Amino acid sequence: MSFRMGSKVWVQDRDQAWVAAEVLASDGGGNRVQLVTDSGKKVLASPEKLCPRDADEEEHGGVEDMTRLAYLNEPGVLYNLKRRYTLNDIYTYTGSILIAVNPFTKLPHLYDNHMMEQYKGAPLGELSPHVFAVADASYRAMMNEGKSQSILVSGESGAGKTETTKLIMQYLTFVGGRAAGDDRSVEQQVLESNPLLEAFGNARTVRNDNSSRFGKFVEIQFDSNGRISGAAIRTYLLERSRVVQITDPERNYHCFYQLCAFETDAEKYELGHPSHFHYLNQSKIYELDGVSNVEEYVRTRRAMNIVGISHEDQEAIFRTLAAILHLGNIEFSPGKEYDSSVIKDEKSRFHMQMAANLFMCDVDLLLSTLCTRSIQTREGSIVKALDCNAAVAGRDTLAKTVYARLFDWLVDKINRSVGQDINSQMQIGVLDIYGFECFKDNSFEQFCINFANEKLQQHFNEHVFKMEQEEYGREEINWSYIEFVDNQDVLDLIEKKPIGIVALLDEACMFPKSTHETFSTKLFQHFPSHPRLGKEKFSQTDFAISHYAGKVTYHTDTFLDKNRDYVVVEHCNLLSSSKCPFVSGLFPLPPEESSRSSYRFSSVASRFKQQLQALMETLNSTEPHYVRCVKPNSLNRPQMFENGSVIHQLRCGGVLEAVRISLAGYPTRRTYSEFVDRFGLIALEFMDGSYDDKAVAEKILQKLKLENFQLGRTKVFLRAGQIGILDSRRAEVLDNAARCIQRQLRTFIARRVFIAVRAAAVCLQACCRGYIGQKMYASKRETAAAISVQKYIRMWLRRKTYMKLCSSATIIQSCVRGFMTRQRFLHIKEHRAATSIQACWRMYKFRSAFHRHQASIVAIQCLWRRRQAKRELRRLKQEANETGALRLAKSKLEKQLDELTWRLHLEKKIRVSNEDAKQIEISKLQKMIEALNLELDAAKLATINECNKNAVLQNQFELSIKEKSALKRELVAVDEIRKENAMLKVSLDAFEKKCTALEVELINAQKGRDETIEKLREFEQKCSQLEQNVKSLEEKMLSLEDENHVLRQKALSAPLKSNRQGFAKSLSERYSNAVASRTERKPIFESPTPTKLIPTFTPGMSDSRRSKLTAERHQDNCEFLSRCIKENLGFKNGKPLAAPIIYKCLLHWHAFESERTAIFDYIIEGINEVLKARDDDDVLPYWLSNTSALLCLLQRNLRSNGFLTTTGQRYTGSAGLASRTVHGPKSPLKFIGYDDGVSHVEARYPAILFKQQLTACVEKIFGLLRDDLKKELSPLLGLCIQAPKTGRQHGGKLSRSPSGLPQQPSGGQWANIVNFLDSLMSKLHGNHVPSFFIRKLVTQVFSFINITLFNSLLLRRECCTFSNGEYMKSGLAELEKWIVNAKEEYAGTSWHELNYIRQAVGFLVIHQKRKKSLDEIRQDLCPALTVRQIYRISTMYWDDKYGTQSVSNEAISEMREIVSSKDNQNITSNSFLLDDDMSIPFSAEDIDMAIPAIDPDEIDLPAFVPEYSCAQFLNPIQT
């Protein structure tokens, strides 16, 4: 292939495998090409070693499906993965093959339930690549085709195979779930078996901390309904040698370290730190970074519980593990006899004793088993002693055998616990198997692993080739058999009988004297010149095999030992005799014929070959799906991509082999629209619109004289290299166009320079002329200024003279005018004073006359009123004398009661005042006494002090006369104090006498109070007697009214009994028990309904008669309500009719006051039946209007006091009369909005429960209506997420979107959305749904539109384009227009609900994104979006209209850092998808406040009302 100057190519590099470069020049012969790499390094290379590259793909972060690469080659695949990995897009398709790159960091937003819901049912390739898409494709294929599927997960250690397998099973359990009627948690047991198998089958290796050291095939079984019905796990080639031998820095199996870390069990089994045990201390790595062995131990225990392992078996398992560790610490030393061995020291003896105790076997028998062997001969049994090396080998063999049996038991237990569905016809198998391995030292394990990978690679090649054939068949192109190198020769070399490597190895193992030298010699003798087998130069025993992934050299030193799988009979006999049932169950007694020899030969390679053959048979019977896991670097660090390592893994995983198979046929395939978009400019003469895309593509290829291409139905297929020719020709056309543009640009620049020079010359001339003109103008201006100055000076002098004369004249005139004005003012003042005096005199005269006339009129009126009052007084006295004795007595009693009450209150006040006064006086006296006591004490102290002073003064009498006089004065003061004390004592006695007098008065007052209370009690008894008389009269009146009501209903319903006998009978049977229980209750707890008052006052009516009447009444009621519910009664003045009619019926029948009734349940059941059997779209809106109206009537008219105090409430007659007055059919009282304080009904428990059920019914109807709208809207939104594909227009901008199809804005699909919303509004308005519900419903619909469009935008790369953003922007404008027309009353906050999709679309269509910083994007463009969502859109954006780039690399890096930090801080909040809110956005109180008042009286009765006697009260004629 020839390259022109400027071509973009890939060139091989020693460090980076491949680097991007550009062709500078090539020599004349074309043997060498000079290149410059992106780093600026210049290199020479031959054209054969170069690969072409497409620079356009580098601008858009790679492609999701690598079959759409312009150049499908090794570096193209490598760098496409690298670009996507840099953006945290770890999944990429290669056709139907998924490549998963291990991110080495948590990405929980990719694996939550919402993400699984998005991929559920989505076709493969529609959304972004994901492991869930592969799992869903396998599940859908199984359900659609009825054929079992398999998912093969492969990759090297540390690539994430185990985690990928977990995710696949997690998704299958999500979509499959549990079979109906199955109480076992199959899916949970399958998932929880992973940590259990990881603990016993995973270990740390050089490349991975959690490497699976066994192959696992999980077969998940499904029933015919697609629900999980069972599961089975198969394992392959557990690495048994790891139990006894490990290398640094690897570790043994995790379970050993977990057991040692758990202190309780470690102490129980005499364990300690892992460094104390030989099987663990061969490596110095005991802990793993970020992993707690104690927590993992607890997790393993929990997994055992879930899969059904009993506590006894768990203890036996860990006891067996501890025994293996103790067994490894047994050391041997040479014995006294030749080639014999004994226990080395006491420490080894202790470990042997512990091992025997844990195995529950005899310690001497264990020692004998380890140090001797029994050989069966014809003469008898011979016991042979073993030397130290043989004893150690036997010890290790025992440990490996026990662990292998234990692992097999766990797998079998998991299978039995999970349970296999033998009737299942559909399965999905998930294969998690080791990848191709090539180390520095490769042994028997690597040989088996690579053998399995060769088998799987053959299966993979056949599958890829089959997909290629299917692709060619779908496109209906002519193709011949494509030759590709098969690896069957390698498989024959390994497994073919009788001279394959496995057969030769088994043959060598059967002979005791065979060594690895004899095996290697025999191998090279049988295959002296095999192309796949090679011999190492520096080793006589090592051999090399050329696998599909490369050449691997195997060291045969341990091949024979590892292949031998001898079962020592003594070991089996020892452990089968164990007293532990678990251990003895691992080693059942061997048959007699096999017990004659101490060894039974078994080959690991042969058994593995058989398992592998069974696996391949299983895979061949299923439809395969492939997941290739890739480890990006050897340091297990995120955001680090090692090109060389990844290339090696792609080669080992068969990805490059699939590329090679594609290259053998037609590696480049493009849809016709993609092809014409990219290469249409080569032949613009055919782009006038007269040809379709297929014809244009054929014309282009024929113009370039290309051959061997194929034109399919929808795609054009090109041979390898032809895309390069097309790109070269395209580059030439673009170069010519660039030269033309450059030529025109240079012409434009030269003309622009000329015009600038000319304009400068003109400007200079203008400046010169302007300067001369300025000079001339300045001279003329000075002359004119001088003349003007002279003129103004002369004018000023003349004006000054004139102003002096004018001011003098003005002063004289002002003086004269002021004198005349003052004279005129004095005259006017005198005239006004005279007028005021005259007015006051006249006013006084007329006022006196008016007062005299007024007094006469008042006197006459008083006399007349007095006369009329006397007449009225006589009339009132006459009427008062005619009043009954009862009223007089009542008035007298009331007056007496008032008087007594007043006297009682007066006495209480007097007593209280006296007691208060007494308490005040006592408190004052006590305070005075306390003060006097204090003063007395002070006086006593003073007296004592004075006495002391007197003694001192007497002693000093001769020394000072002044002190003597002072002492006398103090003695006088003391005498005065004593007198005051005596006076205080007298006053205290007087106060005590007063207190005794007050107490006597208090006793007398209490006696009077008792007498008054007795009189009051007598009056209360009289009043209660009068109240009882009134109550009895009211009860009699009520009983008469009830009897009349029952007789009236009986008379009305008598003619209709013959027509409804069957229904009456059923209702009588239904309600007879309820009626009987009601009649047995005491009247004090009954509600005031007619049926409960009749038995008390109509003793002549029998119980059967009452039951029959009650059943007939319930029959009529239920029939009427059923017809009201089932028939559409319509609306009146925008208000529903069914709800007020039902409410008035319940009110008239006193259902709200009933303690027990089934009428409410009947109504709710009837509504639910109508909703369940709805055949019309208007059913839900109709019943939303009616149920909400009925709920408002109940909310505004029911009062729950009666329900809350039912136990202690007593039915009073006055309350009953008031309630019946309100509830009667003739009541003039208004309802809601008219007289709210009077119309409340005391509701009992059934009514309160009915209101709650009705609230739930309203919420249910709203939810059903919302869900139906979402189901109808989902397919419309699926068509609106991406612009429709339209025809190509000549001369327009060609599309560069990933799908390659031209896109133009179109409102057809959005018009369907608008029409859907219009039909919704018409439906809701036609059923008069309140605006409150319409607003809530429309808001939730727009929220669903926002969530669906936004999530689809983030999951589909082809939607994140500039043209698609314009298309969606035009659609959102249509929705905005609809919202504006709908008005805020109905639309509410709908426009705000579209906030996320509006900002995302605004980001797509904005220009110059690279100039926007992250802060500007977050604050100005997308304030509602999270950083993760912005990062997702930025990395998926593709400008298919102008070819511009997304945001800058600095902003991308900053967002990546923020996302990573948030992942560490809060894992649960980092999903970039939106969740749908399924809650009900209102409560019963909100409905009550939002819906306007409803008057039940303003209704039109349906035509069938006269047919029912129970509803005759509704008819206004019967009043």
Side-chain angles (χ1 to χ4, degrees), residues 233 413 558 594 651 729 772 946 1185 1209 1265 1322 1402 1465 1501:
I233 299 175
K413 180 65 177 179
T558 58
S594 63
R651 190 177 293 112
R729 178 57 182 162
I772 296 171
E946 292 298 329
S1185 298
Q1209 188 178 8
L1265 185 58
S1322 62
Q1465 294 174 3
L1501 298 180

Side-chain angles (χ1 to χ4, degrees), residues 39-185:
S39 60
K41 181 180 178 182
K42 294 183 179 180
V43 295
L44 290 174
S46 61
E48 293 78 11
K49 294 184 179 180
L50 300 180
C51 293
R53 67 183 174 95
D54 186 6
D56 293 339
E57 294 172 352
E58 300 178 7
E59 301 177 359
H60 307 291
V63 297
E64 294 180 346
D65 190 348
M66 289 191 290
T67 58
R68 286 162 41 188
L69 288 171
Y71 298 101
L72 186 59
N73 49 36
E74 184 176 298
V77 171
L78 174 66
Y79 276 87
N80 186 71
L81 292 177
K82 185 174 183 179
R83 285 190 291 268
R84 291 181 57 79
Y85 181 73
T86 304
L87 300 176
N88 271 342
D89 291 331
I90 62 174
Y91 294 111
T92 308
Y93 289 131
T94 301
S96 62
I97 304 166
L98 180 69
I99 299 176
V101 185
N102 194 340
F104 290 118
T105 186
K106 297 292 185 181
L107 299 175
H109 63 281
L110 293 179
Y111 309 111
D112 53 12
N113 289 335
H114 190 65
M115 185 65 75
M116 288 190 285
E117 190 66 36
Q118 293 294 323
Y119 280 90
K120 185 177 180 180
L124 186 68
E126 179 179 340
L127 303 179
S128 299
H130 204 287
V131 67
F132 291 159
V134 177
D136 186 77
S138 64
Y139 181 79
R140 301 300 164 190
M142 179 191 69
M143 295 303 299
N144 296 333
E145 301 173 7
K147 183 179 180 181
S148 298
Q149 308 288 310
S150 60
I151 303 175
L152 284 71
V153 183
S154 63
E156 75 168 27
S157 179
K161 301 186 302 298
T162 303
E163 291 299 324
T164 303
T165 304
K166 290 180 185 177
L167 294 173
I168 292 173
M169 290 198 295
Q170 178 184 349
Y171 184 83
L172 291 178
T173 55
F174 170 78
V175 72
R178 187 186 308 169
D182 188 5
D183 295 333
R184 302 170 301 168
S185 57

Side-chain angles (χ1 to χ4, degrees), residues 285 393 575 597 808 811 863 907 935 1105 1288 1377 1501:
I285 304 297
L575 296 178
S597 175
S808 300
I811 291 171
L863 292 174
E907 290 293 332
E935 292 177 357
R1105 181 65 174 170
R1288 182 179 289 99
K1377 183 178 179 181
L1501 298 180

